[in-house]
Amino acid sequence: MLNINITRTTTPKQKPNNPLIGIGKAFTDHMFLMKYSPDQGWHDPKIEPFHDLTLSPATTVFHYGQEMFEGMKAYRGKDDDIYLFRPEKNGERTNMTNKRLCMPEIPVEDFVQAVRTLVELDADWIPGEPGTSLYIRPFIIGTDPFIGLTPSETFLFCIIMAPSGPYYGKDEQAPVSIWVEEEYVRAVRGGMGFAKAGGNYAASMVAQANAKQAGYAQVLWLDGLERKYVEEVGAMNIFFKIGGKVVTPALTGSILPGITRDSVITLCRSWGLSVEERLVSIDELVDANRQGLLEEVFGTGTAAVISPVGKLGYREDVLVINDNKTGPLSQRIYETVTGIQCGALVDPYGWRVKI
Ligand SMILES: *Cc1c(COP(=O)(O)O)cnc(C)c1O
């Protein structure tokens, strides 16, 4: 149990005018902060008015990227109830990431308590329109003011929050076009692809920028060794419906284990669908598409929820999926996941946490 010291703002900010697009640039009135040092452990948990950080230019994170983050959301339901979705999973994943990055673990219940307390305090920032939510960004940085290449010994855990609308800036359910990336890779086995670490995203930006220029929303990464097997999309895991079966790449170490991915697998199995977690080669997808068996493709992630993929750009070809329309399985998953998240549907899995 954290003893969180709360200092409320005396100058609440203006909330952004709708319509919200993407993950906001406007942040809520408050932020959570907690420090770590070897002798005190995690200490001094507090909530303060949102403010800039002051750090030495020698700080570890600026030079060696010792940084991790999480992404989660708070949802406003019909009766103004507020919910989190499987927040303990974000706490567990934080610790998995932290171990990989030589960062101290945080007790999962403390992580969840910090998120809950901040959400409660800034609850009036949670928008209520369909497709909107409050995006929550916990992150940890190494803070030693020292440029020797060793793991930092001190850390700062911080949580900021931003009201957000549909991720791709339009109808959440409109299919996106995705570029199959063959030149650059995001992560390799043994690296830190399974961790939500800032460095992974720095490595991915050049391919993302090129894809955008070519008219694609995101890139689909292939494995770093053979560039043969499909891994995932920028901030989403990827699913395929091939000949009636649901298929998603297995978690081989270079793929981020998404909480939405896990939820979608559970839902599909509960509906009696066969779900295979295995290697999926790009050739298999091209063949399946040619034979008319590639029925649906969709990405899953907290930010985008479910994002149907209408086109896959691969070399000189464009694979068109389901006529570039949202498929019935994508639609069903979208309605079920968002329905559970905002309290409109029963939650047989105990995923929803009421605040
Ligand atoms: C965050 C993220 C995901 C999705 O994870 P969720 O827990 O479902 O939000 C997938 N891939 C990458 C690379 C990510 O950063």
Side-chain angles (χ1 to χ4, degrees):
M1 210 21 206
L2 299 173
N3 188 5
I4 304 172
N5 198 337
I6 299 177
T7 309
R8 283 168 193 270
T9 184
T10 52
T11 51
K13 291 187 274 195
Q14 185 87 35
K15 301 201 176 47
N17 292 324
N18 287 321
L20 289 164
I21 289 175
I23 285 180
K25 291 179 178 149
F27 296 94
T28 67
D29 282 321
H30 299 92
M31 68 200 290
F32 175 87
L33 295 152
M34 182 163 67
K35 288 180 194 158
Y36 180 92
S37 66
D39 46 329
Q40 292 181 85
W42 287 110
H43 64 281
D44 198 14
K46 59 189 177 184
I47 290 175
E48 293 185 334
F50 188 96
H51 61 75
D52 290 346
L53 300 175
T54 303
L55 294 164
S56 160
T59 303
T60 314
V61 66
F62 295 145
H63 302 276
Y64 309 118
Q66 201 180 10
E67 188 264 0
M68 70 77 58
F69 66 92
E70 268 301 326
M72 51 205 296
K73 284 176 169 176
Y75 307 88
R76 186 178 292 281
K78 261 209 320 283
D79 303 317
D80 262 359
D81 287 334
I82 292 158
Y83 303 104
L84 299 173
F85 185 71
R86 310 184 77 183
E88 73 292 344
K89 289 279 162 209
N90 297 92
E92 289 164 15
R93 190 168 62 193
T94 293
N95 288 333
M96 189 186 71
T97 298
N98 287 9
K99 266 187 231 168
R100 178 65 180 79
L101 291 180
C102 291
M103 295 173 133
E105 293 179 42
I106 297 177
V108 170
E109 54 285 11
D110 291 353
F111 176 94
V112 174
Q113 187 198 343
V115 169
R116 274 188 89 113
T117 310
L118 187 61
V119 168
E120 269 169 39
L121 193 67
D122 279 340
D124 57 345
W125 282 83
I126 308 171
E129 297 78 19
T132 66
S133 57
L134 183 66
Y135 187 79
I136 306 167
R137 169 52 58 85
F139 63 99
I140 304 172
I141 56 173
T143 51
D144 280 6
F146 174 60
I147 53 173
L149 181 48
T150 59
S152 188
E153 294 193 327
T154 62
F155 295 90
L156 180 66
F157 174 36
C158 192
I159 309 174
I160 56 175
M161 307 196 295
S164 77
Y167 191 63
Y168 291 104
K170 49 183 160 106
D171 177 12
E172 207 154 38
Q173 281 299 280
V176 293
S177 301
I178 289 198
W179 174 250
V180 180
E181 177 61 41
E182 286 194 289
E183 184 180 1
Y184 299 104
V185 299
R186 186 188 95 97
V188 291
R189 225 176 287 181
M192 57 179 190
F194 66 89
K196 236 171 153 75
N200 286 330
Y201 305 85
S204 71
M205 282 174 183
V206 65
Q208 176 68 38
N210 291 346
K212 199 149 255 174
Q213 201 139 49
Y216 292 90
Q218 296 264 326
V219 302
L220 177 60
W221 299 107
L222 300 179
D223 76 282
L225 222 54
E226 298 180 73
R227 298 183 203 188
K228 178 174 172 189
Y229 298 104
V230 168
E231 300 231 302
E232 61 176 319
V233 184
M236 297 192 291
N237 295 109
I238 190 96
F239 283 76
F240 307 96
K241 187 154 170 268
I242 307 175
K245 286 182 178 169
V246 178
V247 181
T248 192
L251 300 175
T252 50
S254 46
I255 297 175
L256 200 287
I259 296 161
T260 320
R261 174 187 183 277
D262 182 76
S263 309
V264 167
I265 291 172
T266 302
L267 282 178
C268 287
R269 288 194 174 137
S270 80
W271 295 336
L273 290 164
S274 153
V275 183
E276 296 176 356
E277 295 179 70
R278 60 168 171 83
L279 294 179
V280 185
S281 72
I282 186 68
D283 293 341
E284 176 184 350
L285 298 178
V286 171
D287 283 350
N289 187 58
R290 195 173 295 136
Q291 295 173 48
L293 295 173
L294 187 58
E295 294 155 19
E296 291 188 42
V297 179
F298 54 91
T300 67
T302 297
V305 196
I306 302 295
S307 192
V309 177
K311 290 179 188 169
L312 277 177
Y314 178 54
R315 300 186 177 164
E316 291 82 40
D317 289 338
V318 177
L319 282 61
V320 178
I321 297 124
N322 194 41
D323 250 349
N324 197 25
K325 294 199 186 84
T326 300
L329 180 62
S330 306
Q331 188 67 34
R332 184 177 183 194
I333 292 171
Y334 177 77
E335 283 166 10
T336 308
V337 172
T338 54
I340 291 175
Q341 285 170 335
C342 71
L345 294 179
V346 287
D347 172 23
Y349 312 99
W351 286 341
R352 191 162 63 213
V353 173
K354 194 173 162 186
I355 298 245

